[in-house]
Amino acid sequence: MCTPCCIAQLACCCGSAACSCCCKCCPKIKQSTGTRIMYALYFLLVTVLCVVMMSPTVEQVLKENIPFYTEFCRTVNAGENCKTLVGYAAVYKVCFGMACFFLFFCMFTIRVNNSTGCRAAVHNGFWLLKFIALVACCAGGFFLPNESTFLEVWRYIGAIGGFFFLMIQLMLLVEFAHRWNANWYSGVKYNRLWYAALAFVTLVLFSVGVGAVIFMGIFYTHPEACLLNKIFLGMNGSLCLVVSLLAISPFIQKLQPNSGLLQPGVITVYVMYLTFSAFSSKPKEMVVIDGVNTTVCVFPFNSGTESDKKIVTGLGTVILFGCVLYSCLTSTTRRSSAALRVCRNTEPETERARCCFCFGDDTEEYDEEKTGSGQNVVYDEREGTIYSYAFFHFVFFLGSLYVMMTVTNWFHYDDHKIEKLLDGSWSVFWIKMASCWVCLILYMWTLIAPIVCPKRFEA
């Protein structure tokens, strides 16, 4: 049993065979899904490396626990205590290598429509060779000449790419809200419990949204300070109310009968999260209370123990990973591609209500499988590709730039550390606040687009 599995893994690493687990008890996996998961693991690995590079805590731990650490750094010409391998400059170089890796595969897989060609075989296999190529690209960034010029130019390229990735992420959030509502609403005709589930989740979402408004109104406003917080909290809360009323208005219901309160509930929760994150990222304000300078409008945990702050920072990092991976993995499906083009999906509706709807693939039935000592693999791209290979790599290219800018705190990178992810920065504040408005505008557009452009949305 071990020998066939080893042969299969060798064919996966050095050939065009699809990768799978050695355990036969694992559920079967589709080739297209396995390929995207492997690229996501590469992406996640480099992202974790970037987080480590921005952490002085990790640097100190390595220095204290690795024997001859200082001598090793001098041997590899990495400077004293490997200074050239940490900090924002190192993150820029590593992300430059990862971005080049995905950009190359984006151009390499242009106009690949079936999985039988050599380019598709490279895309779906040869994982060990591609991993070596990724490592070489990331390492090559440290040998670029004119470092100061490179960092300055690459910073602006990263900002532009990160902005476009953020737009894709927000569009996918809107698509996620519509898909959730459509999937669960499709089950109402067969089982009324789905209607109860819709009502319950909608109530929970709006309860969280209202609770977030109350929470920020208590802890992030002050009678004598935090004017921007008061304005933007009131503005964002009012806009969430407007889009919620618009979603259930008669003229929207006439063109979109499935439009309900679940979608604006999802949007409201995300907008409130972005608002909270923006307030947390704003430089702290101080007022004189009883003759003492007091910091106001801050997250309560920040004034507590250091462990509380680490919990908040860790939560923000996990949310970052989750958003990036979800955007990269779902932006290339047929349904999501139609959403990004803001038009009606031309494929026939075959919705089957299920709790984990977001993990469903575009198609369901395939006959050919590879059975052996390990996990079964369904070859679902015999007749054609399930997703756009080139666009898939392009989204990961933009995701690389977004991670680079987020980990290095966008434009305030000189003294930034990953432990200070929630510390004050006006650039981060305005980026997150603008993201709130863009998200609301995108959702509002999906509601009124059939009225403005009826021909584009005809079935």
Side-chain angles (χ1 to χ4, degrees), residues 92-93 96-97 137 139-148 150-151 154:
Y92 273 38
K93 295 171 184 177
F96 172 78
C137 289
F142 289 90
F143 299 94
L144 293 172
N146 301 323
E147 178 177 316
S148 58
F150 161 75
L151 294 177
W154 187 239

Side-chain angles (χ1 to χ4, degrees), residues 56-67:
T57 304
V58 175
E59 178 186 355
Q60 187 64 27
V61 170
L62 292 176
K63 181 180 177 181
E64 294 176 353
N65 294 278
I66 296 181

Side-chain angles (χ1 to χ4, degrees), residues 179-371:
R179 184 179 179 185
W180 188 358
N181 181 79
N183 184 269
W184 283 23
Y185 191 81
S186 67
V188 172
K189 65 179 77 170
Y190 305 108
N191 191 335
R192 302 296 292 180
L193 289 177
W194 285 109
Y195 190 83
L198 276 171
F200 175 75
V201 172
T202 301
L203 179 62
V204 170
L205 290 174
F206 277 103
S207 299
V208 172
V210 173
V213 173
I214 296 174
F215 174 83
M216 288 183 283
I218 295 175
F219 293 104
Y220 282 89
T221 60
H222 192 273
E224 301 178 8
C226 307
L227 178 61
L228 287 179
N229 291 14
K230 300 173 187 175
I231 294 175
F232 290 143
L233 181 60
M235 180 186 301
N236 292 350
S238 300
L239 289 175
C240 290
L241 178 62
V242 169
V243 297
S244 300
L245 296 177
L246 182 64
I248 58 176
S249 60
F251 63 93
I252 295 296
Q253 289 286 319
K254 183 179 179 180
L255 293 175
Q256 302 186 49
N258 292 344
S259 178
L261 290 175
L262 178 64
Q263 301 101 308
V266 174
I267 301 301
T268 297
V269 170
Y270 190 73
V271 168
M272 289 299 106
Y273 161 72
L274 285 179
T275 305
F276 158 74
S277 184
F279 290 168
S280 300
S281 302
K282 189 168 66 71
K284 296 178 176 59
E285 298 186 34
M286 302 186 70
V287 296
V288 178
I289 301 178
D290 296 331
V292 180
N293 287 332
T294 305
T295 303
V296 295
C297 304
V298 295
F299 190 48
F301 287 174
N302 284 347
S303 59
T305 63
E306 189 68 20
S307 60
D308 292 330
K309 189 173 181 180
K310 290 181 179 179
I311 293 175
V312 176
T313 303
L315 179 62
T317 306
V318 170
I319 292 175
L320 167 65
F321 287 165
C323 289
V324 170
L325 290 179
Y326 177 79
S327 301
C328 291
L329 292 176
T330 62
S331 61
T332 49
T333 61
R334 294 174 184 172
R335 183 190 299 270
S336 298
S337 297
L340 293 176
R341 294 194 300 271
V342 195
C343 61
R344 187 181 298 276
N345 188 2
T346 57
E347 296 184 0
E349 291 294 334
T350 57
E351 284 287 350
R352 179 172 57 87
R354 56 190 184 274
C355 294
C356 299
F357 67 92
C358 56
F359 295 103
D361 291 328
D362 293 88
T363 51
E364 295 293 338
E365 295 183 359
Y366 299 96
D367 297 327
E368 299 185 36
E369 296 185 9
K370 182 197 75 174
T371 57

Side-chain angles (χ1 to χ4, degrees), residues 390-408:
F391 185 61
F392 172 81
H393 290 292
F394 182 70
V395 172
F396 267 101
F397 164 74
L398 295 179
S400 303
L401 301 180
Y402 177 76
V403 166
M404 179 185 75
M405 298 305 296
T406 304
V407 171
T408 57

